[in-house]
Amino acid sequence: MNVKKNRACMKAWTSAVVLLFLFSSNVFSQTKGKGTIQGTVKTSEGKPAEFVNIIIKNIKNTVVDVNGDYQLKNLLPGNYEITASYHGLESQSKSVVVTANQTAIVDFILNESSQQLKEVVVQVNVNKFSKKETPYVSKMPLANLENPQVYQVVNKELLTEQMIFSVDDAIMNTPGIQKMWEATGRGGDGGTYYNTRGFIVQSGLRNGIAGLVTNQVDAINLERMEVIKGPSATLFGSELSSYGGLINRVTKKPFDTFNAELSYSTGSYDFNRVSADVNTPVDKAKKLMFRLNTAYNYEGSFQDQGYNRSWAATPSLLYQANDRLSINLDAELYEGKNIGKQILFFYFPASALGASTPDQLNVDYNQSYMGEGLSQESRSANFFGQINYKLADNWTSSTNLTSSNSFSNGFSPYFYLIPDDVVTSNPADAGKANYLARADQSTGDSENSIFQIQQNFNGDFKLGNLRNRIVLGLDYYHTNSNQNFFGSGFDVVPLNNNGFDFSSFNGANMQAKYATGDPDFTYPIVNKINIYSAYVSNVLNLTENLNVLAALRVDRFENKGGTEGGVVLPFKQTAFSPKFGVVYQPVKDILSLFVNYQNGFNNKGTYNAYNAADPATPVPLSAKPEQANQVEGGVKLDALQGKLSGTVSYYSIKVEDILRSDSRAPNIAQIQDGTQVSKGIEMDFIANPVVGLNLIAGFSYNDSKMEKADADVNGRRPATASSPYLANLWLSYRLQTVVKGLGAGLGVNYASDNKILNSVSMGEFTLPAYTILGATLFYDKSKYRIGLKADNLTNERYYIGYSTMNPQKLRSFSASVSYKFN
């Protein structure tokens, strides 16, 4: 996209936002003589029952906000019946009299019992996995059917039923996302890498703001996980989201009654886990509430070496000063020690190795190819603060602060395959790979810190008969990186020598090697980045069944300069990120049709451009921000009283202004005109066809291609784009009589072939398709829960990776027991 197109796009979307407000104001009408109903909705545990539907049939409806509050305005005087309903909770109806210019207070307490003092409609078939309402996707309370963006939610009911202990396991329930690289634990880049819609992404957001964890993310304080699809820079910026989307972790919150749960789990590969969830009010007035989630986790490896030991503590304090002001302070403290998972790198073309798939390599799946002591220590300390204030009946303020800090120190072993002729110097040995190079890439007291402050103002008001829901946001994001990567090769060993002792590659010997001299390489990443942003997003209801979303972000990026391998010069850039969506509900609250336009960007510094006057001396130029634009359309469904919900969509993402080699001087100069296209379909369905039976199913197909790129990869699928076809299924049943609380679940995950090498120079290397089966058996009562879990039931040998291959865990079993105090 050139500069003129960028400016035209910015003007067009700015005009769209302005026109929406002008159109709203032109139909403003008076509401004198009308009344209001408002109140709070809580669960039987005393927690705010956010996202509950409040309905006056055929007249008006709204959704309860995150504080448990609702309001219905501009009602004619008279008698009404008001109903509160939500999947998984009872529906409850009450009668109310509305008086002109007065406010009637109607509060609800919803629970799972079968009888209320008032008239109650009990929902027998409960689709307990279909709760998708969230204030984070659009930074405002917006029902899924009203939202033009595609997203999936893995809620706490599913996390419990599947005995999920990490975000990696939770991801398997969402269509179109695949784990690509294990968490390394290294400060700054240590979290697991995933792929969605053809682009790499990490789990970097927590409650909508920064919350990085360098190791595998423990699920101890996970209330639900949200996978938001497509470029999302308009509301979330470019640092924590990718062109494919983002992952947001929503955490458990304190509430005003005592509750505690203690759990112990054990299983294969020396797996042991102890965890606790304790919640209690601190004062008699129950305005100050405290909650602590903590876990200790240890697991060995299916290979002969390797382990991961971690500890997590996530205290949280909530002060509910009054019905207008609440203050939340919490932290995530993680500490771990591990030996890195085996990752095989490719430094030689596939043809030189004589292989295009793993089964053609002479690699032992169960062999770690290392000895003891190649361990690394990592820490993450994230601190959060949030102040929510109700400015007026229809305006709220939310101030959010985060300080996210990571640290790592220690070894990180890695390996790459060596062609025989490189070792023997005999041309007759070409086309075979029976040797393995062993090396280390350490981090030395590496640190990375992020500070973010974000201010949001939310309004929900009418201008005339048109409802506006708006968020106005300011965001400051600061990164301070001081990472120290260094490493050295250790040796080259044979793969086909039975009984060879691989234990010499160990911590003591690697430390001794470093003591003898400088490492083979160093790669410091030292920089400071400031980002100043402002954004506005408005959802305008043109009718009860038709709403339009328009949003715009202005982003000022300042890189102070530093080092990333070499010197990085300071640079500043301004980017504009628009967003637009339309939702039409032909059947209100059951079926919606949507289209969206979404934008993402990536800030680039300077590059060496071709110099026609002197091709050997390139000209340094400032790069434009790389841009990604998505167009998507589809249908969302919430039918049969919540028993069936789903989304089907088609998307097309085009990335422009990619830096690529200039063919006029390919080894010297670059040109910023590259493009990449990623398009596909995604489907997800959640169903409750009969009482006790629940089903989750997902399918995706992605077609990614470099359309204007270096000749080496032009026209090919990127090696980072993951498997084109992905599918997931979870089927569970819980007995309703006889042994009530007894249930079982069965899960399937499928991924098609994944090309991790795909270029002219490196050739093609493919990780084969795999199908993974898992199952749980559980007995859940009010005071205790017993669970059994099996992963990889068929003992499938499979690999993940991008430009690398990483063997995955074989069949394992685990058991868990929990006791609940309340």
Side-chain angles (χ1 to χ4, degrees), residues 31-37 72-77 98-104:
T31 59
K32 186 176 180 180
K34 297 181 180 180
T36 298
I37 302 174
L72 297 169
K73 300 177 70 175
N74 303 325
L75 295 168
L76 292 171
V98 173
T99 304
N101 302 318
Q102 299 294 321
T103 297

Side-chain angles (χ1 to χ4, degrees), residues 426-441:
N426 184 356
D429 291 333
K432 295 178 287 185
N434 291 299
Y435 292 90
L436 187 72
R438 306 191 294 182
D440 171 63
Q441 186 180 100

